[in-house]
Amino acid sequence: MVKGPRFLKGHGTENDFVIIPDPDGALELTPAQVARICDRRAGIGADGVLRVVRTAAAPEVAALSAEAEWFMDYRNADGSVAEMCGNGVRVFGRYLVDSGLATPGTFHIATRAGLRGVTVPAQGDVTVGMGRAALPGPDGIEVAVGSRRWPAVNVNMGNPHAVAFVEDLAHAGDLFTAPAVTPASAYPTGVNVEFVVDRGPRHVALRVHERGSGETRSCGTGACAVMVAAARREGADPAVTGTAVTYTVDVPGGRLVITEHPDGSLDMTGPAVILAEGELDAVWAEG
Ligand SMILES: N[C@@H](CCC[C@H](N)C(=O)O)C(=O)O
């Protein structure tokens, strides 16, 4: 049997990841290998892979190494690369602390979308500074499932999102396939699609179809995109009022609490769990 690298399995609100420690950046992780590892029947099974690399050993982010010792190299389940993963960065921080690679407290993690600050206590929920949302438009974006269509808001959280407010989350259908989003030119690199319903004052619930992973039980960047779209829909903008706004965002896999501050920055708090550890073999060795 050809032995591969050590891995861990973790999740944040049931958005689940295979974590592969690769401190020196020695592994060539091909899209095919990632897809095989994430396969829920023939592999370990996950929504994505978090490769743990020293920032200084990762040429694409090495310039951030003075501020962040570790780089979260995030891959979607189909092997594609994404800029950011909000649940992933909480789980990544939990892994660093639990394994002794970081001390409990606040520190930075490098991502393709830039630095993200995490606050990781010795136990319990993790808070991430998610950066600022951008709402680049255009007007007129629509999301369609079957014969239903909804207007959608383009929110960029380092990665792209289309947020659609719907009457019933069941109207999003089975979400096995990606909803149609138009115009396609609004999202040249693909898009994550969130369907949102109201649950109460500053309390919403979502379902998501993730670019490169399909329907998942949670999406942290998606939950932040939803929070900002929901706040603007009610006319709340902390940059204008000077008052922070907090939303509770329910996802199929749990609950996230998200605050937008007057400087536009977003904090997201939620669980991050490491639940297993092992060693890859055949699934890895096929190249
Ligand atoms: N689940 C993630 C987002 C992962 C990346 C996304 N699928 C993309 O391609 O942009 C999260 O928690 O943010």
Side-chain angles (χ1 to χ4, degrees):
M1 185 188 301
V2 182
K3 284 291 182 191
R6 197 167 72 84
F7 74 92
L8 298 93
K9 182 77 194 287
H11 75 92
T13 48
E14 299 181 2
N15 192 192
D16 63 341
F17 309 101
V18 169
I19 302 154
I20 301 182
D22 180 24
D24 301 324
L27 297 176
E28 285 290 335
L29 199 55
T30 68
Q33 285 172 324
V34 170
R36 216 163 23 244
I37 289 165
C38 291
D39 188 304
R40 295 204 180 274
R41 297 184 190 278
I44 308 299
D47 295 326
V49 164
L50 309 176
R51 191 170 65 108
V52 184
V53 193
R54 264 184 220 288
T55 307
E60 63 187 304
V61 290
L64 303 176
S65 63
E67 291 118 308
E69 185 176 0
W70 296 99
F71 166 49
M72 178 182 76
D73 174 14
Y74 172 81
R75 315 289 180 93
N76 285 315
D78 68 355
S80 60
V81 164
E83 303 87 337
M84 234 307 268
C85 177
N87 290 320
V89 83
R90 291 200 320 279
V91 171
F92 193 95
R94 170 53 63 208
Y95 163 72
L96 292 178
V97 166
D98 286 5
S99 60
L101 294 171
T103 48
T106 300
F107 53 91
H108 283 112
I109 291 169
T111 76
R112 291 190 179 85
L115 294 168
R116 294 292 180 267
V118 289
T119 301
V120 187
Q123 292 175 30
D125 286 0
V126 173
T127 297
V128 188
M130 293 287 288
R132 293 179 174 79
L135 288 86
D139 292 339
I141 294 175
E142 282 194 336
V143 169
V145 174
S147 59
R148 289 195 164 94
R149 304 180 78 78
W150 301 271
V153 185
N154 184 0
V155 184
N156 193 290
M157 284 302 310
N159 58 349
H161 295 269
V163 178
F165 294 92
V166 302
E167 282 159 23
D168 185 335
L169 290 178
H171 290 171
D174 59 29
L175 286 183
F176 287 143
T177 53
V181 180
T182 52
S185 57
Y187 297 107
T189 60
V191 62
N192 302 284
V193 184
E194 287 80 26
F195 299 88
V196 192
V197 291
D198 290 304
R199 287 279 191 251
R202 295 192 172 166
H203 182 186
V204 293
L206 69 79
R207 285 178 65 201
V208 58
H209 185 284
E210 283 195 42
R211 176 180 67 168
S213 299
E215 181 169 22
T216 63
R217 304 271 302 161
S218 179
C219 178
T221 50
C224 290
V226 163
M227 182 271 155
V228 172
R232 298 300 179 277
R233 184 188 54 155
E234 65 152 287
D237 185 347
V240 174
T241 61
T243 305
V245 173
T246 297
Y247 268 71
T248 300
V249 182
D250 289 347
V251 295
R255 176 168 286 182
L256 296 164
V257 177
I258 299 168
T259 298
E260 186 180 22
H261 299 279
D263 67 358
S265 64
L266 292 150
D267 289 340
M268 175 177 67
T269 299
V273 178
I274 307 294
L275 52 96
E277 181 169 6
E279 205 168 57
L280 287 157
D281 48 55
V283 68
W284 168 263
E286 288 164 34

